[in-house]
Amino acid sequence: MDEAWQRPRAQVGARIEALTAQGICYSCRNLETGEVFPDQIVAWDDPAFVLVLEEYPRMRGHTVVVWKAHRSDFSELGPEEQAQAMRVCCAAARALRRALGAEKVYLNAMCDGEINHLHFQLFPRYPGDPIGSRRFVLPRQPAEDAPATAAAVRAAFGALWRGA
Ligand SMILES: [Zn+2]
């Protein structure tokens, strides 16, 4: 661990491990208290979901849709939730294209830990970036200009979501 930014990330990892060891869902805990990801930048907060900028993104605009109700993965969503979740992901992808100039947005729903809580990751691809699944595992970096990125995504998502 040689980079300063990796220390707070490791602290987040340790908090998650400690909660998981107690049988506590860290996402539910964070949605209740904000204590797991205290530096998280929220782009949009809805009764059903929250749209956050990844703190250690794989690329600019790496965004996470966290479903508020505890569902261990997308296959547990009820019929109305399924429709709403896809509407959210579509609006978020369009917002990332509109706000940040992404050419394409990849969608990932993994939820593969010990205690899973449904979230969708969106990976923008920009003009000139190589295509393909390696974008899913690009190295993480500290977010640059996260407040400005969040403001741009918030404005674009808000316009799309209210109009949806
Ligand atoms: Zn949960």
Side-chain angles (χ1 to χ4, degrees):
M1 191 166 305
D2 37 57
E3 302 272 359
W5 65 268
Q6 290 175 321
R7 282 195 286 276
R9 178 154 196 259
Q11 287 167 357
V12 169
R15 280 199 291 276
I16 289 172
E17 271 184 38
L19 289 167
T20 303
Q22 298 171 68
I24 297 168
C25 172
Y26 71 85
S27 289
C28 285
R29 173 62 62 90
N30 191 63
L31 288 163
E32 289 160 13
T33 67
E35 71 187 32
V36 182
F37 305 108
D39 302 321
Q40 178 172 266
I41 295 184
V42 174
W44 194 265
D45 192 356
D46 180 271
F49 65 89
V50 62
L51 192 67
V52 300
L53 269 275
E54 170 59 53
E55 280 182 77
Y56 303 101
R58 297 189 188 279
M59 70 288 291
R60 181 170 185 244
H62 179 177
T63 299
V64 183
V65 175
V66 182
W67 201 251
K68 284 190 175 174
H70 185 90
R71 304 284 180 262
S72 69
D73 72 21
F74 66 89
S75 67
E76 287 195 349
L77 291 169
E80 288 178 17
E81 290 179 307
Q82 293 168 23
Q84 189 179 23
M86 191 46 74
R87 276 204 307 129
V88 176
C89 290
C90 290
R94 290 188 196 120
L96 291 169
R97 292 207 304 263
R98 185 180 291 183
L100 305 180
E103 198 165 70
K104 197 83 178 175
V105 178
Y106 297 1
L107 178 63
N108 176 4
M110 204 162 59
C111 302
D112 204 16
E114 197 171 318
I115 300 176
N116 304 313
H117 185 117
L118 177 60
H119 61 285
F120 300 95
Q121 297 193 59
L122 291 98
F123 300 105
R125 177 172 62 70
Y126 298 95
D129 287 341
I131 69 166
S133 58
R134 274 177 288 188
R135 299 198 64 69
F136 288 85
V137 292
L138 288 176
R140 292 176 179 275
Q141 302 288 333
E144 289 175 21
D145 66 9
T149 303
V153 172
R154 181 178 301 122
F157 181 83
L160 288 158
W161 188 245
R162 281 190 292 263

